[in-house]
Amino acid sequence: AFLLIRKLMIFRFTMRNNLQIERLEREKLEELNKSKLQFFSNVSHEFRTPLTLIIGPAEHILNSKIDSSLKKQIGYIHRNALRLLRLVNALLDLQKVEKNEMHLKARYGNIVSFAKEITLTFEELSKTKKINLSFHSENEKINCWFDPDKLDKVIFNLLSNAFKFTYKGGNISVDVSTNNNEAYLPPLNSFVDITVTDTGKGMKEEHLQKIFERFYQIEDENDADIQVGTGLGLHLSKYLVELHHGKLTVSSKDGKGTRFDVLMPRNGDHLSPQEKVSENDIPANSEEKIKIKTSKTDIVTEFSSDDETEDAKQKYTILVVEDDYDIRSYIKSEFSDQYKIIEASDGIEGWSLAQKQQPEVIISDIIMPRMDGIQLCKKIKTNILTCHIPVILLTARTSIENRIEGLETGADSYIPKPFHPQHLRIRIEKLIELRQNLMAKFSKSISFEAKEMTITSADERFLQKAMDLVKANISNPNLNIEEMGNELGISRVHLYRKLKALTNQNPSEFVRIIRLKQAAYLLKQNKLNISEVAYAVGFNSHQYFTNCFQNYFGMSPTEYSNKTGENIKQ
């Protein structure tokens, strides 16, 4: 009995130990998979920068007048660059899958034309690899409910795999049909079947049950022509099909080819209201069809200043802070016709130029050496000399957390890479337009008739402080820029630039307008004559005061008094 009990205890200990080992192995494998997923996600962010330099110029060329044959070739580049972008996004989608944050957005449409369009993107590849590619459908139009973005990723991935494992002279076909065979998807009695069939390498039976597992790869040391994938595409494809309440199946024979079937219900009875969207709900910049439907708005405003060059009068200045030379060059080539572009290769250089040049807009990447875009934005928005400058952050990081982080630093706009040049152009124009509206607001607020001013920003606090300084010295004709700068804690040059940026007035104009508005207020009180009013607001010359008043209000002090109050003493 003792030996039996001892054996049972040893058995239980062994079983417990084995289970613990298995648990640790599972945890280790899961940790390894998460590390792989994080690695691929990081790499996908890096892909967005070169994609920007492919998609943007391709769209620019397509919108210009070029030869039809060249336009066709550029069309292939543009279309497939967008597909590549979607594949990059698929890597990021895996994180959503892990967190169960992927949601269906299905709409009712013709799945035949949709699948055919995706198939056509592989025409050039089929010619290059000398593989016969064909598309068939029993009907020209088969309507059903599907999510275009997610189904695009599925079909594209299946075709990519087919080309990867099919040799020269082989065949790849895409077929779309309807079927009422309940054996496929019971108890559904009507579904669409998209099959992708190839005559390529095929798979052994042992692989068929594992190919949908994340990171599972089929390697063949005897076949150097076959490129090993990441083991992500089929895993994601299976999940996306099941998100449609469908099923992804595979059949294959070693050395004879493979067939994948995407089986999805045709009607929308299986979908919840949250899983459906109407045609009007599809955003204009969705991944299904990337277009920016907006018109170009030209803003032409000239500053009058003796210190400005003719070039500066004609163009606003934009500071581009980006460590990638090609991106900087691309932005400069796109916007130099309308703006004066200055460049910086990192945040430290950008911060220096922002203080010296006082640009109208700053466009900055986030990930940069020495000082990143987040740090740069914080410096710009917390410094009195630069806090008025709008900042646009460009980044390959597209998660909502990254966007929130960027906006929390005070950034005025957050645009993910790859960006559409027209999108960026419109954002620049609107930010400059907003800046001009603020100038008008601040300019109008320089009045002694307003008893209180709402303090909502560092800019308004600075302006209020400057106004209070002038009011306190309203009768002092010797108040100058140096004295104002010393009182406000900034240099003469920075005072000039700051007031010009906020009010479109230099310091002398700023002081003069406050004096004139105070003079108008006194004239309304009908207690002082014109000369007394002039001296009370810091004018030594009666005639100079009259000329300035006439230019600003469009009437002489006497006419103003007659219009707003009783005649004053002469």
Side-chain angles (χ1 to χ4, degrees):
F2 175 77
L3 291 175
L4 180 61
I5 292 174
R6 187 170 182 273
K7 287 181 179 180
L8 287 173
M9 291 179 66
I10 293 174
F11 176 76
R12 290 178 62 186
F13 176 79
T14 303
M15 288 294 295
R16 188 184 303 115
N17 190 49
N18 290 339
L19 290 173
Q20 186 175 5
I21 292 174
E22 289 180 5
R23 180 179 61 81
L24 291 174
E25 288 180 346
R26 285 196 303 269
E27 290 177 355
K28 186 176 181 180
L29 180 61
E30 184 62 27
E31 184 179 350
L32 178 61
N33 285 341
K34 287 182 179 180
S35 298
K36 287 182 179 180
L37 184 57
Q38 186 61 49
F39 169 75
F40 282 120
S41 298
N42 292 340
V43 170
S44 69
H45 289 309
E46 298 299 322
F47 287 161
R48 287 176 174 269
T49 293
L51 278 173
T52 299
L53 298 171
I54 297 173
I55 295 174
E59 289 176 341
H60 183 81
I61 296 173
L62 284 173
N63 292 329
S64 61
K65 294 181 179 180
I66 57 175
D67 180 76
S68 59
S69 61
L70 179 59
K71 196 164 191 173
K72 182 179 180 181
Q73 299 300 317
I74 298 298
Y76 286 133
I77 294 174
H78 179 248
R79 186 161 58 246
N80 286 280
L82 292 179
R83 302 299 181 188
L84 179 57
L85 173 61
R86 295 176 194 178
L87 289 178
V88 169
N89 290 337
L91 295 172
L92 303 178
D93 288 341
L94 284 175
Q95 289 183 322
K96 295 182 181 179
V97 171
E98 292 298 311
K99 298 178 182 179
N100 198 28
E101 295 177 351
M102 185 78 71
H103 304 293
L104 193 69
K105 296 181 180 180
R107 66 182 180 89
Y108 193 68
N110 182 10
I111 201 168
V112 176
S113 59
F114 179 81
K116 186 175 183 179
E117 177 66 20
I118 298 172
T119 305
L120 290 176
T121 63
F122 288 85
E123 274 191 336
E124 286 301 307
L125 181 60
S126 67
K127 294 176 182 178
T128 302
K129 299 191 70 173
K130 293 183 169 40
I131 294 174
N132 300 313
L133 175 65
S134 61
F135 179 87
H136 305 282
S137 176
E138 62 181 20
N139 297 302
E140 292 185 359
K141 190 173 185 180
I142 301 176
N143 287 329
C144 68
W145 285 89
F146 63 96
D147 186 320
D149 176 52
K150 295 176 178 60
L151 188 58
D152 173 279
K153 294 172 182 176
V154 174
I155 300 174
F156 191 91
N157 180 67
L158 296 180
L159 277 168
S160 296
N161 283 342
F163 275 95
K164 187 184 300 180
F165 294 102
T166 301
Y167 302 107
K168 177 180 177 181
N171 299 300
I172 297 175
S173 64
V174 178
D175 296 86
V176 181
S177 61
T178 55
N179 203 315
N180 296 321
N181 188 346
E182 293 188 5
Y184 282 95
L185 285 173
L188 300 172
N189 56 17
S190 180
F191 62 90
V192 62
D193 184 0
I194 304 173
T195 66
V196 178
T197 308
D198 66 69
T199 60
K201 179 179 173 59
M203 289 178 282
K204 297 178 180 179
E205 184 68 27
E206 61 195 67
H207 297 304
L208 292 182
Q209 303 302 320
K210 299 180 180 180
I211 61 171
F212 294 119
E213 295 179 5
R214 188 178 54 180
F215 299 122
Y216 183 77
Q217 298 170 317
I218 301 176
E219 298 186 23
D220 189 346
E221 297 179 355
N222 298 322
D223 197 339
D225 293 333
I226 299 299
Q227 298 176 350
V228 179
T230 61
L232 297 175
L234 289 177
H235 172 76
L236 179 61
S237 296
K238 183 175 184 291
Y239 179 88
L240 295 178
V241 173
E242 291 176 350
L243 201 63
H244 282 81
H245 305 270
K247 187 176 181 181
L248 178 59
T249 65
V250 60
S251 59
S252 182
K253 290 185 179 181
D254 190 22
K256 294 186 177 181
T258 303
R259 167 174 168 158
F260 285 93
D261 284 81
V262 178
L263 304 157
M264 300 191 308
R266 287 192 62 184
N267 57 47
D269 297 341
H270 60 290
L271 301 176
S272 66
Q274 292 76 21
E275 292 176 316
K276 294 181 179 181
V277 293
S278 65
E279 186 71 25
N280 294 331
D281 293 329
I282 300 175
N285 63 341
S286 67
E287 290 187 354
E288 179 190 359
K289 185 177 287 187
I290 299 179
K291 285 186 178 179
I292 301 296
K293 295 181 179 179
T294 183
S295 59
K296 177 180 176 180
T297 304
D298 291 323
I299 302 175
V300 180
T301 304
E302 294 187 1
F303 292 146
S304 57
S305 171
D306 296 336
D307 296 337
E308 294 177 312
T309 64
E310 289 299 316
D311 182 64
K313 290 180 180 180
Q314 296 174 4
K315 296 181 179 181
Y316 294 111
T317 298
I318 296 177
L319 170 60
V320 180
V321 189
E322 167 67 66
D323 61 322
D324 189 291
Y325 174 80
D326 289 335
I327 291 289
R328 292 202 312 272
S329 298
Y330 172 57
I331 293 176
K332 185 174 183 178
S333 67
E334 284 290 328
F335 298 102
S336 59
D337 62 325
Q338 189 176 353
Y339 303 103
K340 177 184 177 182
I341 307 296
I342 54 178
E343 305 174 52
S345 60
D346 58 47
I348 292 179
E349 186 182 355
W351 171 236
S352 176
L353 286 174
Q355 297 174 86
K356 293 177 182 177
Q357 299 292 332
Q358 292 286 305
E360 273 68 42
V361 177
I362 296 175
I363 301 171
S364 176
D365 188 22
I366 287 186
I367 303 176
M368 296 183 294
R370 299 208 295 171
M371 181 190 291
D372 62 31
I374 296 295
Q375 294 173 310
L376 174 62
C377 188
K378 286 181 180 178
K379 275 186 168 291
I380 291 169
K381 291 301 183 179
T382 55
N383 189 286
I384 191 62
L385 302 179
T386 56
C387 60
H388 62 279
I389 305 175
V391 177
I392 299 175
L393 291 179
L394 300 177
T395 180
R397 295 181 173 179
T398 59
S399 69
I400 187 63
E401 292 82 6
N402 294 130
R403 295 190 182 210
I404 292 174
E405 180 186 16
L407 295 174
E408 282 180 342
T409 63
D412 298 86
S413 188
Y414 188 103
I415 300 179
K417 294 178 181 178
F419 57 86
H420 192 293
Q422 185 68 353
H423 181 195
L424 182 57
R425 185 182 295 273
I426 292 299
R427 288 304 302 140
I428 293 171
E429 290 174 347
K430 292 303 179 184
L431 286 173
I432 291 177
E433 183 179 11
L434 177 61
R435 196 71 237 166
Q436 300 308 306
N437 291 337
L438 288 175
M439 281 185 184
K441 169 193 168 187
F442 285 143
S443 180
K444 291 178 181 178
S445 70
I446 302 175
S447 171
F448 283 85
E449 297 175 2
K451 299 299 181 183
E452 295 182 358
M453 181 176 177
T454 303
I455 305 300
T456 59
S457 69
D459 289 339
E460 291 187 54
R461 289 193 293 271
F462 171 82
L463 192 61
Q464 183 67 62
K465 189 175 179 181
M467 291 169 60
D468 291 342
L469 175 63
V470 176
K471 286 190 288 184
N473 294 271
I474 194 71
S475 62
N476 178 13
N478 298 318
L479 180 65
N480 55 44
I481 297 177
E482 285 77 11
E483 186 177 347
M484 286 183 65
N486 291 334
E487 291 291 331
L488 296 173
I490 59 177
S491 69
R492 178 183 184 279
V493 174
H494 287 149
L495 176 62
Y496 178 92
R497 290 173 176 171
K498 189 68 179 180
L499 288 178
K500 194 70 175 177
L502 290 178
T503 66
N504 199 22
Q505 300 158 1
N506 61 42
S508 298
E509 293 169 333
F510 179 81
V511 173
R512 187 186 311 122
I513 289 173
I514 293 179
R515 294 185 191 277
L516 291 173
K517 289 196 173 184
Q518 174 66 355
Y521 175 76
L522 293 175
L523 288 174
K524 286 182 180 180
Q525 304 303 309
N526 196 22
K527 295 180 180 180
L528 302 172
N529 62 32
I530 294 177
S531 295
E532 290 172 333
V533 168
Y535 291 122
V537 296
F539 284 88
N540 289 327
S541 168
H542 180 285
Q543 185 60 45
Y544 180 62
F545 167 71
T546 301
N547 292 339
C548 291
F549 197 96
Q550 174 81 39
N551 291 334
Y552 187 76
F553 288 100
M555 63 184 74
S556 68
T558 301
E559 292 172 332
Y560 183 87
S561 177
N562 291 336
K563 192 172 183 179
T564 58
E566 299 179 2
N567 291 334
I568 62 174
K569 297 176 286 181
Q570 299 298 322

